[in-house]
Amino acid sequence: MAILQQRELKIYWGTATTGKPHVAYFVPMSKIADFLKAGCEVTILFADLHAYLDNMKAPWELLELRTRYYEHVIKAMLESIGVALDRLKFVRGTDYQLSKEYTLDVYRLSSVVTQHDAKKAGAEVVKQVEHPLLSGLLYPGLQALDEEYLKVDAQFGGVDQRKIFTFAEKYLPSLGYAKRIHLMNPMVPGLTGSKMSSSEEDSKIDLLDRKEDVKKKLKKAFCEPGNVENNGVLSFIKHVLFPLKSEFVVLREEKWGGNKTYTAYEALEKDFAEQVVHPGDLKNSVEVALNKLLDPIREKFNCPELKKLSSAAYPTPGKAKPGEKGTKNSEPEDVVPSRLDIRVGKVISVEKHPDADSLYVEKIDVGEAEPRTVVSGLVHFVPEEQLQDRLVVLLCNLKPQKMRGVESQGMVLCASSVGEPRQVEPLDPPAGCCAGERVYVEGYENGEPDEELKPKKKVFEKLQADFHISEDCVAQWKERNFLTKLGTVSCKSLKGGSIS
């Protein structure tokens, strides 16, 4: 209040220039619009150096290209919601973070900050790995110093930044600098129910995704009838569409009641919980509203210059990076675990195959509009009642194939004993996981799975050769754990076994 009695508040919002910005960025953009309407002076920081320090999420040779991409796409987002750019100040981190004064303050800060506090501060922002690089420990200190060097009164960010904000409030005064105000916006859950992340392809919708990509991702999004928990589609309406438009229109045919306009999110959530609103209608309505927001951004990036920038900043796997010679085939040739689309599934029903005594036919929810039909040879190993309603781990991008006349749309991954008699146990995701949640191998979180594994290339078979169960009953590939955001994937008892 004391500041406002003298002048307008100075605020900054920063973004590390790593993966492509996605639609959840509309949440801070709408708040920036609110700050400007309130008369605040707003600075947007493109934190290029932070992007490199965060476990090299942006390689040094791509840093300049990605920063330019971010600048163009963030400005396009702001314009799409009617924000005048001439009222904003845009700054790059390397414009001032390489100065003598800033560097000296980094050293001063490192002399008073403990390793414990630095690691704790970055726990929700900096990529966490088993053996962290020193660069990741520097990250929170740089973000704290940005408040002083940008000469602002407040920093604005997502709630995932709260530990860095607490760190700044604790350590800036030790250098003789003032504490700043900290403002936070909610984080939008991804379409799979977890946090919307640039590194998890199915959880997000990119700002430049084609309309057919938007339709496809929304179709696969977790949106169980009546379930408002971990519902990424509802959360997107709540945190993105409602703040921008102050209303949301559910589009549906007259025979289902016709279109309905909601002016309060709570009313929409109540109707969905009571199954008055169908998931299919909700997804279709979000698709229409979202494309209206994305159309101006797509149009801006349709010019040759920005198309070239986009492909250079984010080269597809197998394409050359700047300064390298390209390959003839742009398809990724590396046989790495990130090419597998592995998800948590929930078994909705299970019954014996009508034409095969050893096979079950299961309906498994993997967070898509409809459950998948999966045929598994588990009859002699797992009773029906132990499969019903349990969580499993499902490989989803195998080519569908008929097994005794029933098409199987995935493979339930199981631990298998080495010796005789053979024992088989379905892999167990961590407790609390949601259907559709991604399963990945430690260190391979950022890759994009193949749309469909080509049988001739035998990608799964090559990777499977190094699948095994550890002595702690944890599923691994080459000693690296299978993980979800809630922890490790395991089995009950078959230590030292294989995975098939």
Side-chain angles (χ1 to χ4, degrees), residues 286-348:
V286 167
E287 180 186 343
V288 171
L290 182 54
N291 279 321
K292 286 181 181 177
L293 284 176
L294 298 183
D295 278 342
I297 303 172
R298 295 185 186 116
E299 182 63 29
K300 184 169 183 177
F301 272 76
N302 201 31
C303 70
E305 179 188 352
L306 292 184
K307 281 183 177 180
K308 183 178 179 181
L309 172 61
S310 180
S311 61
Y314 297 94
T316 55
K319 282 190 177 179
K321 294 179 181 178
E324 296 179 346
K325 291 183 178 180
T327 58
K328 289 183 179 179
N329 187 354
S330 63
E331 183 180 343
E333 292 300 326
D334 290 340
V335 181
V336 292
S338 53
R339 293 182 65 179
L340 304 179
D341 181 5
I342 306 176
R343 297 183 231 163
V344 174
K346 183 176 180 179
V347 179
I348 297 173

Side-chain angles (χ1 to χ4, degrees), residues 473-486:
C473 289
V474 174
Q476 295 184 330
W477 175 79
K478 292 186 175 180
E479 315 303 324
R480 294 173 179 260
N481 295 341
F482 282 60
L483 300 168
T484 75
K485 63 185 178 69
L486 293 180

Side-chain angles (χ1 to χ4, degrees), residues 360-380:
Y360 284 131
V361 178
E362 304 127 357
K363 294 289 186 183
I364 301 180
D365 177 12
V366 286
E368 298 171 337
E370 300 292 336
R372 293 193 178 207
T373 299
V374 178
V375 180
S376 304
L378 296 174
V379 170
H380 300 312

Side-chain angles (χ1 to χ4, degrees), residues 124-367:
E124 293 185 53
V125 177
V126 179
K127 183 180 178 183
Q128 300 299 296
V129 294
E130 188 175 355
H131 301 292
L133 297 172
L134 180 59
S135 58
L137 300 177
L138 291 174
Y139 189 113
L142 269 67
Q143 188 168 333
L145 287 172
D146 290 339
E147 297 179 350
E148 174 64 25
Y149 278 79
L150 291 171
K151 302 301 178 186
V152 295
D153 307 305
Q155 182 180 174
F156 167 55
V159 293
D160 60 338
Q161 305 276 330
R162 61 189 180 275
K163 292 180 180 178
I164 291 183
F165 291 167
T166 301
F167 175 95
E169 290 173 12
K170 176 180 179 180
Y171 282 107
L172 277 187
S174 69
L175 301 187
Y177 299 140
K179 288 183 183 180
R180 264 61 179 195
I181 302 163
H182 293 110
L183 308 167
M184 289 173 278
N185 64 261
M187 303 302 293
V188 178
L191 299 177
T192 56
S194 58
K195 174 184 171 182
M196 193 174 288
S197 167
S198 294
S199 62
E200 189 176 344
E201 186 61 28
D202 280 346
S203 80
K204 66 188 177 78
I205 292 174
D206 284 335
L207 297 168
L208 300 182
D209 271 349
R210 301 171 303 167
K211 289 185 177 182
E212 49 266 43
D213 295 326
V214 172
K215 180 183 287 291
K216 181 179 175 183
K217 289 181 179 180
L218 283 170
K219 185 178 180 181
K220 292 168 65 177
F222 175 75
C223 191
E224 189 177 61
N227 186 356
V228 299
E229 299 297 324
N230 299 308
N231 189 320
V233 179
L234 272 178
S235 296
F236 184 76
I237 296 169
K238 179 180 180 179
H239 296 299
V240 177
L241 298 178
F242 255 106
L244 289 173
K245 298 293 184 181
S246 300
E247 66 175 29
F248 182 75
V249 181
V250 173
L251 306 171
R252 57 190 177 189
E253 296 179 27
E254 287 299 328
K255 64 180 179 180
W256 304 119
N259 296 351
K260 184 171 181 179
T261 300
Y262 291 89
T263 55
Y265 170 76
E266 292 73 19
L268 172 61
E269 185 179 277
K270 180 175 181 291
D271 276 1
F272 186 83
E274 295 174 357
Q275 300 192 35
V276 175
V277 174
H278 188 272
D281 293 329
L282 195 72
K283 289 182 178 183
N284 291 338
S285 305
V286 167
E287 180 186 343
V288 171
L290 182 54
N291 279 321
K292 286 181 181 177
L293 284 176
L294 298 183
D295 278 342
I297 303 172
R298 295 185 186 116
E299 182 63 29
K300 184 169 183 177
F301 272 76
N302 201 31
C303 70
E305 179 188 352
L306 292 184
K307 281 183 177 180
K308 183 178 179 181
L309 172 61
S310 180
S311 61
Y314 297 94
T316 55
K319 282 190 177 179
K321 294 179 181 178
E324 296 179 346
K325 291 183 178 180
T327 58
K328 289 183 179 179
N329 187 354
S330 63
E331 183 180 343
E333 292 300 326
D334 290 340
V335 181
V336 292
S338 53
R339 293 182 65 179
L340 304 179
D341 181 5
I342 306 176
R343 297 183 231 163
V344 174
K346 183 176 180 179
V347 179
I348 297 173
S349 68
V350 53
E351 57 186 25
K352 294 276 185 68
H353 193 296
D355 298 317
D357 293 338
S358 64
L359 301 178
Y360 284 131
V361 178
E362 304 127 357
K363 294 289 186 183
I364 301 180
D365 177 12
V366 286

Side-chain angles (χ1 to χ4, degrees), residues 68-82:
R68 283 168 49 201
Y69 178 89
Y70 261 69
E71 187 166 351
H72 282 289
V73 84
I74 293 294
K75 287 179 177 179
M77 286 185 76
L78 290 164
E79 289 174 334
S80 79
I81 60 172

